């Protein structure tokens, strides 16, 4: 064969087209048909989810974020304990809540609003009442590791308490409880053992 290098192989003979067999482009069109077949249900699901999200925004719960005035601030015995409490506790347990941007978008607004309402009803550092034994309850929650809540510390990294911060906060709350009971410890006995 003239003009053909030894390494070149001759092209296979052309096969006559069979009208019963699909043409070559049909094979590459099959995946496109599959994509189109799934596109409509996927777009429908996404449309329904978007519609549900928009409708959630119309539910009025969680829209307003009122911070009532501080009527009786907690009597923190030292600035360090107060700073720890402000970082880890005050967003839910005071009238000085910092409302982040996500607290205005449902369904997160519902969760945040519910947590703040529950926290304020359990213990409120802005409406301190010495007769409620709130400091004792707070110490017990911190000792058990149930406060601050895991879902709160997952979003607010600085709110998670170290062992040292727990000890500082519990000592301050113990002192506040003792002061609230006229110098008696958490058990109700005199602090000095008398």
């Amino acid at each position: 064969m003239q003009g053909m290098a030894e390494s070149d192989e001759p092209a296979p003979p052309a096969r006559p087209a069979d009208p019963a067999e699909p043409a070559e482009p049909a094979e590459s069109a099959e995946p496109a048909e599959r994509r189109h077949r799934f596109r409509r249900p996927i777009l429908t699901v996404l449309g329904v989810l978007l519609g549900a999200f928009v409708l959630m925004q119309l539910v009025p719960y969680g829209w307003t974020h009122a911070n009532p005035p501080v009527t009786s601030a907690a009597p923190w015995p030292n600035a360090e304990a107060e700073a720890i409490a402000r970082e880890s506790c005050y967003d839910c347990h005071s009238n000085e809540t910092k409302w982040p941007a996500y607290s205005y978008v449902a369904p997160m607004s519902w969760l945040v609003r519910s947590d703040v309402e529950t926290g304020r009803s359990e213990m409120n550092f802005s409406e301190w009442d010495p007769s409620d034994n709130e400091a004792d309850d707070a110490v017990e929650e911190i000792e058990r590791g149930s406060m601050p809540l895991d879902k709160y510390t997952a979003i607010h990294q600085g709110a998670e308490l170290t062992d040292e911060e727990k000890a500082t906060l519990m000592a301050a709350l113990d002192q506040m409880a003792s002061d609230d009971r006229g110098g008696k410890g958490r058990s109700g006995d005199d602090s000095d053992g008398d």
Side-chain angles (χ1 to χ4, degrees), residues 34 42 73 108 111 113 137 150 152 176:
R34 281 189 200 161
I42 289 172
M108 282 300 290
L111 178 64
R113 177 71 181 254
D137 295 340
D150 290 338
Y152 183 78
M176 290 162 64

Side-chain angles (χ1 to χ4, degrees), residues 47-60:
V48 167
L49 291 174
L50 179 62
F53 179 75
V54 169
L55 288 174
M56 280 191 257
Q57 305 317 306
L58 301 176
V59 176

Side-chain angles (χ1 to χ4, degrees), residues 75-85 168-169 171-173 175-176:
W76 292 102
N78 60 61
E80 181 184 10
E82 182 175 3
I84 293 168
T168 300
L169 190 56
L173 288 165
Q175 184 176 341
M176 290 162 64

Side-chain angles (χ1 to χ4, degrees), residues 74-180:
W76 292 102
N78 60 61
E80 181 184 10
E82 182 175 3
I84 293 168
R86 285 186 178 278
E87 177 71 26
S88 299
C89 311
Y90 267 53
D91 277 345
C92 294
H93 295 283
S94 79
N95 295 346
E96 301 174 52
T97 303
K98 295 176 196 143
W99 300 98
Y102 61 81
S103 70
Y104 292 90
V105 180
M108 282 300 290
S109 61
W110 304 339
L111 178 64
V112 172
R113 177 71 181 254
S114 174
D115 286 348
V116 170
E117 287 176 354
T118 301
R120 286 177 179 172
S121 70
E122 292 294 322
M123 176 176 183
N124 192 333
F125 290 114
S126 299
E127 298 173 4
W128 192 256
D129 182 359
S131 64
D132 282 347
N133 294 325
E134 292 174 337
D136 287 337
D137 295 340
V139 170
E140 291 172 12
E141 294 292 328
I142 295 167
E143 281 178 333
R144 284 193 304 226
S146 57
M147 283 291 155
L149 297 174
D150 290 338
K151 63 184 173 182
Y152 183 78
T153 58
I155 298 172
H156 303 87
Q157 298 296 320
E160 191 164 355
L161 296 172
T162 65
D163 289 340
E164 183 181 320
E165 289 172 329
K166 285 180 184 179
T168 300
L169 190 56
M170 289 189 305
L173 288 165
D174 268 339
Q175 184 176 341
M176 290 162 64
S178 176
D179 292 348
D180 291 346

